[in-house]
Amino acid sequence: HTRPGSSVRPRSPRLLGTPREESEPPTRSLPDTAPRPHVVRTGEPRARSLDRKQMAATGATLSARSAHAAPVATRASRRASRARAPLRCVAEDADAPSAVATGGTPVRKTSMLVIGATGTLGRQVVRRALDEGYDVRCLVRPRQNPADFLRDWGATTVSGDLTKPETLPAAFVGIHTVVDASTARPEEDTYVIDWKAKVACIQTAASMGIQRYVFYSIDKCDQHQEVPLMKMKSAVEEYLKVSGMNYTVLRLCGFMQPLISGYAVPVLEEQPLWGTDDDTRTAYLDTQDVAKMTLAACRRDEATNKVMTLAGPESYSVREVIALCEKLGGADAKVSKVPVLMLKATRALTRFFQWTAPASDRLAFAEGLASGV
């Protein structure tokens, strides 16, 4: 009871794991230090003020009914205790039965959520995980052409939008490992997908008690903060490290698959292709090999809370890639070279306009690659 005239001011309740609403920053710059994922406790209900007569009457009534109200009060307290307890996922052995434990709802180590499952890398991770016996769930965006091939392989799909954090929690329920292979498409804003959406996913995973979070980054991203995409990747790495979850960051150099559509097909069809006047070499990886190493990292404790770089056995320059396509295709390539200085000038022009900002970010990434990043 409270004294007459006094009151208890409740704190504003908020669901556990719901990302805080942040005002849109005036610029596209990222914070130097990412905020720590937050956990907020639900506030207590407001207490009512009673006068002395009401207090005496209430005390007499409770004393008279104490013998009969004990079972009801016990059930009510149990219900209140369960309502206040946050949901947590507790990992258990993959072969153990799915039983309810005291500390929370146990999940199997073979339960995996793949974000970006329809992409070049994501679909290879799904296929490899299914082959190794994982129960794979795929987070896919709502669209007219659903990802039927994922279900044909044996995975389950759940709809969600990375730009709408409220649609994410349902996909994380009952999951042990999250593999985040999502990235912005050419028509999408990299700041929204590769920074804001990543923060929302990490906050949701941390609040749901995810046991392992695998994130794909870019090699040497921490050394090239002048490139927006690399700065975002580096910031996400730091945000993940302070999330409280077990994590694995895999830094990648480049994929072989885009070389087919970017160089091999134009050479075979005698179409012009674009290149730069530099000799930067890249150790390209096959996405199937990346998927294989991803599953190995999920199984091994040595990969927990580590940042590792994956690279191919050999590195190639753009000139060497084109020469190899000409040799295997039996045709001469029609190459139009773009000087690095032109990339810099184009980027400087496009960054002054809001509607060309995404293009400016991608030009900065291309400029970094052409400069030997």
Side-chain angles (χ1 to χ4, degrees):
H1 300 291
T2 60
R3 294 182 179 179
S6 64
S7 61
V8 178
R9 179 177 296 175
R11 294 171 294 180
S12 300
R14 184 155 57 86
L15 295 179
L16 182 65
T18 304
R20 294 179 177 175
E21 295 182 359
E22 301 178 355
S23 58
E24 187 69 21
T27 63
R28 298 168 60 86
S29 61
L30 299 177
D32 295 334
T33 302
R36 183 180 297 275
H38 52 274
V39 178
V40 179
R41 299 180 182 275
T42 305
E44 298 294 336
R46 184 184 297 275
R48 296 183 299 173
S49 300
L50 301 177
D51 56 27
R52 295 182 180 274
K53 293 183 179 180
Q54 291 174 326
M55 292 171 61
T58 302
T61 302
L62 293 176
S63 299
R65 297 181 179 179
S66 59
H68 303 283
V72 177
T74 301
R75 290 194 296 269
S77 62
R78 286 199 299 265
R79 288 195 297 268
S81 177
R82 287 194 297 267
R84 289 193 298 267
L87 178 63
R88 287 291 183 267
C89 295
V90 180
E92 64 173 5
D93 186 75
D95 298 329
S98 179
V100 178
T102 306
T105 304
V107 297
R108 297 182 182 275
K109 289 185 177 180
T110 55
S111 58
M112 176 181 292
L113 173 67
V114 179
I115 305 174
T118 59
T120 303
L121 176 58
R123 64 181 62 195
Q124 298 297 340
V125 174
V126 172
R127 190 63 178 267
R128 183 73 187 188
L130 290 171
D131 291 343
E132 294 192 11
Y134 280 78
D135 299 321
V136 182
R137 183 185 302 168
C138 304
L139 179 64
V140 297
R141 68 187 70 192
R143 53 184 176 180
Q144 295 180 349
N145 299 323
D148 292 333
F149 69 94
L150 296 174
R151 289 187 290 271
D152 293 340
W153 290 350
T156 59
T157 59
V158 58
S159 297
D161 191 340
L162 295 178
T163 63
K164 299 178 181 179
E166 66 275 9
T167 66
L168 300 178
F172 289 76
V173 175
I175 294 298
H176 178 277
T177 302
V178 172
V179 178
D180 190 349
S182 62
T183 190
R185 295 180 177 180
E187 68 274 10
E188 294 176 329
D189 190 346
T190 55
Y191 178 75
V192 173
I193 302 299
D194 289 291
W195 169 244
K196 297 182 68 175
K198 298 298 182 186
V199 170
C201 287
I202 293 174
Q203 287 182 346
T204 303
S207 65
M208 299 293 287
I210 298 301
Q211 301 296 308
R212 177 73 72 89
Y213 198 103
V214 180
F215 172 66
Y216 294 109
S217 187
I218 302 176
D219 182 32
K220 300 179 182 178
C221 61
D222 54 332
Q223 302 177 18
H224 299 277
Q225 297 294 293
E226 72 280 1
V227 180
L229 180 59
M230 288 192 168
K231 185 176 183 179
M232 294 175 199
K233 293 290 187 180
S234 178
V236 173
E237 288 183 10
E238 296 303 318
Y239 193 79
L240 184 58
K241 291 177 183 178
V242 300
S243 66
M245 293 184 293
N246 291 328
Y247 66 88
T248 300
V249 176
L250 299 178
R251 292 181 174 179
L252 309 178
C253 297
F255 297 146
M256 291 183 178
Q257 277 72 11
L259 300 180
I260 299 175
S261 58
Y263 296 99
V265 173
V267 170
L268 291 175
E269 296 181 354
E270 298 182 354
Q271 297 178 356
L273 42 85
W274 298 90
T276 57
D277 56 352
D278 69 290
D279 292 322
T280 303
R281 305 176 70 86
T282 303
Y284 295 101
L285 283 161
D286 190 333
T287 53
Q288 295 183 5
D289 293 333
V290 177
K292 184 187 301 183
M293 289 181 277
T294 299
L295 270 296
C298 293
R299 293 191 305 267
R300 295 179 177 271
D301 295 335
E302 297 90 336
T304 303
N305 300 333
K306 296 292 181 60
V307 178
M308 299 179 291
T309 299
L310 305 182
E314 297 183 21
S315 58
Y316 300 89
S317 65
V318 173
R319 293 179 182 178
E320 293 173 337
V321 170
I322 295 176
L324 184 61
C325 293
E326 290 176 329
K327 178 181 178 180
L328 297 178
D332 294 332
K334 300 177 181 179
V335 183
S336 298
K337 294 184 179 180
V338 180
V340 176
L341 291 176
M342 183 176 293
L343 288 176
K344 293 181 179 180
T346 306
R347 181 201 172 196
L349 178 63
T350 55
R351 69 178 179 177
F352 289 109
F353 304 97
Q354 183 177 3
W355 59 276
T356 57
S360 177
D361 292 346
R362 293 187 179 277
L363 285 172
F365 183 67
E367 175 188 335
L369 292 178
S371 300
V373 172

